[in-house]
Amino acid sequence: MFWSVSSVAGAPLSATAPGPTGPTSLDEAAKEATNAAGWVQENWGTWLTSGLQIVLIIVIAVVLRHVIRRTITKLIERMNRTAAAAEGTALGGLLVNAERRRQRSEAIGSVLRSVASFVIMGTAALTVLSVLRIDLAPLLASAGVAGVAIGFGARNLVTDFLSGVFMILEDQYGVGDEIDAGVATGTVIEVGLRVTKLRGPNGAIWYIRNGEVKRIGNLSQGWSTAAVDVVIAADQDLERAREIITAAGEQMSKDEPWNEQLWEPVAVLGLSEVHLDTVTLSVSAKTMPGKALGVERELRWRIKHALDAAGIHLAPRPEPEDAEAPTAADPSAGVSAPSALNNPLSPQSRAAEPISPPSKLEK
C-alpha cells in the first residue's frame, strides 16, 4: 500500500489527474451544433424561397408547353378539316389536295411543337440554374462548342432538315405533284423534313434527300401545256388541215372528261418545220395541272381520225435506203502469195528436201 501511494505520489500530475479533454470536446460539439442550427435557421428562408421558385418555374413551363402544343395541334386539325370540306366541292376538288395539305400541315405542326418545347424547357432550365446561383457562362460556352462540333459532324443532316423546313413553309411541292427534281422525276407520294419520296414513271420509288435538291420543276402548279406536232405531206392543203384540227379540238373540249381538263381552246400555232416533202403543224392547249400527257394522247388520236376522214394524208414514213449490191469477189483473193518454196532451185526449197539415206558403198 505504501509502495502504491509513493508510486502515485512520484508520478507526474498530468498522468494521474483527470485532464480537461472530455469537457472540452463536449463544449466544442455543443458549440458546433449551435452554429449549425443557427446557420440552418438563417438560410431556411432562402432555401424555402428558392425551392418554391424552382417548383413554380417547372409548373409554369410544363403548363405553358402543354397549352402551346395543344393549341398548335388544334390549329392543324382545323386546317385539315377545312381542306377536307373544300375537297367535296367542284372547285375545291381541283384546287385542294387533302393529302398534300394534311402532310404539309402535320410537318409544320411537328416543327412548331418541337421548337416550342425546346424554347420553353430550355428557358426553364436556365432559369432554375440561375435560381441555384450556378454560373451559366461555362455551361453556355460548353454548349456552344458542342453545338458547333455536332453541326460540323452532322452538317448533311442539318442541311436536309433546314431545306425540308423551308420547302414545306414555301409550299414548293406536295403530295400528288408531278415534279422534276433533277436527280429523279415522278409523282410525290410523301414529303418529310429530311427525305422526299417520289414514284417514277416505271413505278420505282425514289428517296431524295432535301439537301441534295438544287432545283425543282413543279409540273402540277398553275396549269400545264399539251403540245402536239402534226407532220403532213407538203402537197396537202394547209388551211384545210388547220380547220380540221381546230374542229377536232373544239369537239374534244365538249366531251367528258376533257371539258374539265382543257382550260383553253385548242390552238394551231402554225408551221414549226418545213422540209422538202413534209411540213409540221404545232398544236397547243392549256390544260389542268398534271393532265397534259393524257390530253396529248387523246388529241393525237382525234386529229389522226379527223385528217383521215377529210382525205388529208400525213407524211409518209421514209423508205429505207436500198442496200448496196454485193461486189464481185476478187479473183486474186484465192491465189496464195508467192513463196520461195515454189522454186525447187531456191536455197529454201533445197533445205526443205528430205535427207536421203546413205548408200551401201558409203558404208
Side-chain angles (χ1 to χ4, degrees), residues 1-312:
M1 183 66 181
F2 177 78
W3 176 81
S4 299
V5 172
S6 60
S7 299
V8 171
L13 182 61
S14 60
T16 57
T21 303
T24 302
S25 300
L26 292 176
D27 293 342
E28 291 180 355
K31 185 176 180 180
E32 291 178 358
T34 303
N35 294 335
W39 180 76
V40 171
Q41 185 176 3
E42 291 177 358
N43 296 278
W44 175 254
T46 304
W47 293 350
L48 182 60
T49 302
S50 300
L52 292 177
Q53 289 179 356
I54 293 174
V55 172
L56 183 62
I57 291 171
I58 295 175
V59 171
I60 292 176
V62 172
V63 172
L64 184 61
R65 175 178 176 271
H66 177 73
V67 170
I68 293 179
R69 289 175 64 90
R70 186 174 181 82
T71 302
I72 295 174
T73 303
K74 291 293 183 181
L75 180 61
I76 298 302
E77 292 178 354
R78 183 177 179 181
M79 293 172 58
N80 293 335
R81 287 196 300 267
T82 303
E87 188 181 16
T89 63
L91 182 61
L94 299 176
L95 302 180
V96 177
N97 187 327
E99 181 64 19
R100 169 180 178 171
R101 291 285 300 272
R102 186 191 66 81
Q103 289 202 12
R104 179 171 178 263
S105 59
E106 289 293 339
I108 294 176
S110 176
V111 172
L112 293 178
R113 285 191 292 266
S114 300
V115 171
S117 300
F118 178 78
V119 171
I120 293 174
M121 301 310 295
T123 305
L126 294 178
T127 307
V128 169
L129 293 178
S130 65
V131 170
L132 296 176
R133 297 180 181 180
I134 297 177
D135 190 8
L136 299 180
L139 180 63
L140 295 178
S142 302
V145 174
V148 172
I150 294 175
F152 276 108
R155 58 184 181 275
N156 291 333
L157 182 62
V158 175
T159 302
D160 297 339
F161 180 81
L162 293 179
S163 299
V165 170
F166 284 106
M167 180 271 299
I168 292 175
L169 292 178
E170 296 173 359
D171 194 18
Q172 298 178 6
Y173 55 83
V175 175
D177 287 352
E178 293 282 343
I179 67 170
D180 180 3
V183 294
T185 302
T187 304
V188 180
I189 60 177
E190 185 177 342
V191 179
L193 294 177
R194 193 182 69 87
V195 174
T196 297
K197 294 171 63 176
L198 301 181
R199 185 174 295 278
N202 59 350
I205 296 180
W206 298 90
Y207 295 83
I208 303 176
R209 290 170 44 196
N210 296 327
E212 296 294 328
V213 178
K214 303 303 180 183
R215 61 167 179 82
I216 289 291
N218 196 325
L219 308 179
S220 300
Q221 286 185 352
W223 46 269
S224 299
T225 301
V228 175
D229 291 336
V230 182
V231 183
I232 63 176
D235 57 352
Q236 300 298 310
D237 189 355
L238 298 182
E239 290 296 333
R240 178 63 177 161
R242 181 199 294 269
E243 295 175 359
I244 293 173
I245 294 174
T246 303
E250 291 178 356
Q251 183 61 36
M252 180 178 173
S253 63
K254 298 176 182 178
D255 298 339
E256 294 284 347
W258 313 109
N259 54 353
E260 294 182 357
Q261 298 183 13
L262 282 171
W263 285 6
E264 286 186 1
V266 178
V268 180
L269 303 181
L271 295 177
S272 60
E273 293 183 3
V274 177
H275 298 283
L276 182 61
D277 298 330
T278 62
V279 293
T280 303
L281 294 175
S282 295
V283 183
S284 177
K286 184 178 291 186
T287 68
M288 183 188 300
K291 302 298 182 180
L293 189 59
V295 172
E296 289 176 358
R297 295 193 184 103
E298 181 66 19
L299 192 57
R300 291 190 186 96
W301 179 277
R302 292 174 179 260
I303 290 175
K304 175 64 169 61
H305 283 279
L307 293 178
D308 289 345
I312 296 180

